[in-house]
Amino acid sequence: MTKSHAATMDYALPKDGKTKNNVVRRASIAGGVGSFVEWYDYGIYGLLVSSLVLVFAASDMNTSDAGLMLTYVGFTVSFVVRPFGGVICGYLGDKIGRQKLLAILLLMISLATAAIGLLPSYESIGWAAPTLLNLLRIVQGFSAGGEVSGAGSFVAEYAEDHRRAVVMSPLVMGSFIALLFGSLLISGLINVFGVDAMNSWMWRIPFLLAIPMALIGVYIRTRIEDTPHFQMVKASKRVVRNPIREVLSSKRHLKAIGLAITLPAVNGPGYYILFVYMPTYLNKVMHFQQIQSLMVTACGLLTIVGAIPLMAWLSDRLGRKPLLIASAIAMAVLAWPCFWLLTLGMFPLACMASILLAFAFAGHAGVIQATLAEMFPTNVRYSAYSIGFNLSTVIFGGSAPLLMTWIIGMTGIASIPSYMVIFTAALTLISALYLKETAGKPLADE
């Protein structure tokens, strides 16, 4: 243990073992609940695209690929602003702390999500409807840009060195549980009220649920102090005056940011193609019923939620590199066969393909956030982590649904998404070979 690390732990965490564990557990739960609310708000858009295209596109467009493309523009623009959100929030987070900023971000995205649920349709106000939708997606994207790296930094800086990935696993699971909850909620509403009701007005309910969820999430996030590491950096007056300038002027940090862009390459397609885009892909391209599409996605989500704690536990013992390498290989090998199974149009085979891909991806998802947090020191962690991860997400994940819809419509090749997964898995594999092992090592403060 380094001297700065020992001082950090003595500074803010109780010395009593039981009390210390309780504090760490509260930080882990706060991260998980906040992640659930944030990514429910952000992901519900992707799950409801089939309905949104009917509401926010002109009547002569909403049954065509043009209508779907128009709605996916809202998906893409939210990613374009994510790096800006990451830079601004990273700067503020490294200057004033993580805790208050994360509560503000949660409130911001929840209000934007609820506002989407109140928007008039295209038939009511014309092009103003999709314009307002995209503006609210920009607010969501800005918030999401600061969320992942901020929440990751927050939980990582509370966690013990020997079990950091395990402590961070609720944070990672929260995003997938949010999508699972959204999938089951929409499936339940369709079962009870029917597809016509969902497309007419019922689609608003999942968006409006953001308000009560936000109240719970903000309350939990404001009930725990800022991290021991940041408090120590602040107390010792080592807060960087301009974190962004510090990051961009340092060869050491720039090299780490470069790796933080390519290492999580498969994370974008893994998350947004396998779970967010999948219901629309199965419904619009494979012609599954909407309820079947959501249930196939739910099978994958149940699998990855169950597998993430196991993968995190293994990485704390075996290292980050072995898990990242194994997951990248598994994703590259399974992608094409599994998407081929989806093209057969058989519900049981589609569920099996979803489960296999989800288990393969769990080795990456359960490890990557801990790895990225460990790559940077506390005084610039939020900023550097934000820049690297958000750029990676924009390049490899943000445009995926729009790109997949366009290429499939142009070529008619339904297996196109598998090639995106294979390419990014190969890039992650190569990057992982250059990664220095960080498991079990103390976080640097500067």
Side-chain angles (χ1 to χ4, degrees), residues 17 69 98 127 147 214 283 364 373 395:
M69 291 281 284
R98 289 77 160 105
W127 282 98
E147 168 67 21
N283 181 232
H364 181 90
I395 295 168

Side-chain angles (χ1 to χ4, degrees), residues 161-162 164-165 259 263 311-326 367-368 370-375 431-443:
D161 298 331
H162 67 283
R164 187 169 292 115
L259 189 60
L263 186 64
M311 299 303 178
W313 180 82
L314 286 173
S315 79
D316 279 335
R317 281 149 183 78
L318 303 178
R320 314 295 185 224
K321 287 185 68 169
L323 269 293
L324 290 170
I325 289 171
V367 176
I368 188 63
T371 306
L372 294 175
E374 291 165 345
M375 289 169 58
S431 301
L433 296 175
Y434 289 92
L435 177 69
K436 292 182 179 180
E437 187 57 68
T438 55
K441 297 180 180 179
L443 295 176

Side-chain angles (χ1 to χ4, degrees), residues 32-62:
V33 172
S35 175
F36 172 89
V37 176
E38 183 88 14
W39 294 105
Y40 170 84
D41 290 349
Y42 194 73
I44 200 72
Y45 182 95
L47 296 175
L48 283 169
V49 159
S50 296
S51 297
L52 296 178
V53 69
L54 301 175
V55 177
F56 292 101
S59 57
D60 59 342
M61 295 176 62
N62 59 26

Side-chain angles (χ1 to χ4, degrees), residues 6 16 27 30 53 58 107 121 155 172 188 195 199 218 243 256 258 325 333 374 426:
D16 174 67
V53 69
L107 188 60
S121 66
V155 180
V172 181
V195 175
N199 294 335
V218 171
I325 289 171
V333 170
E374 291 165 345

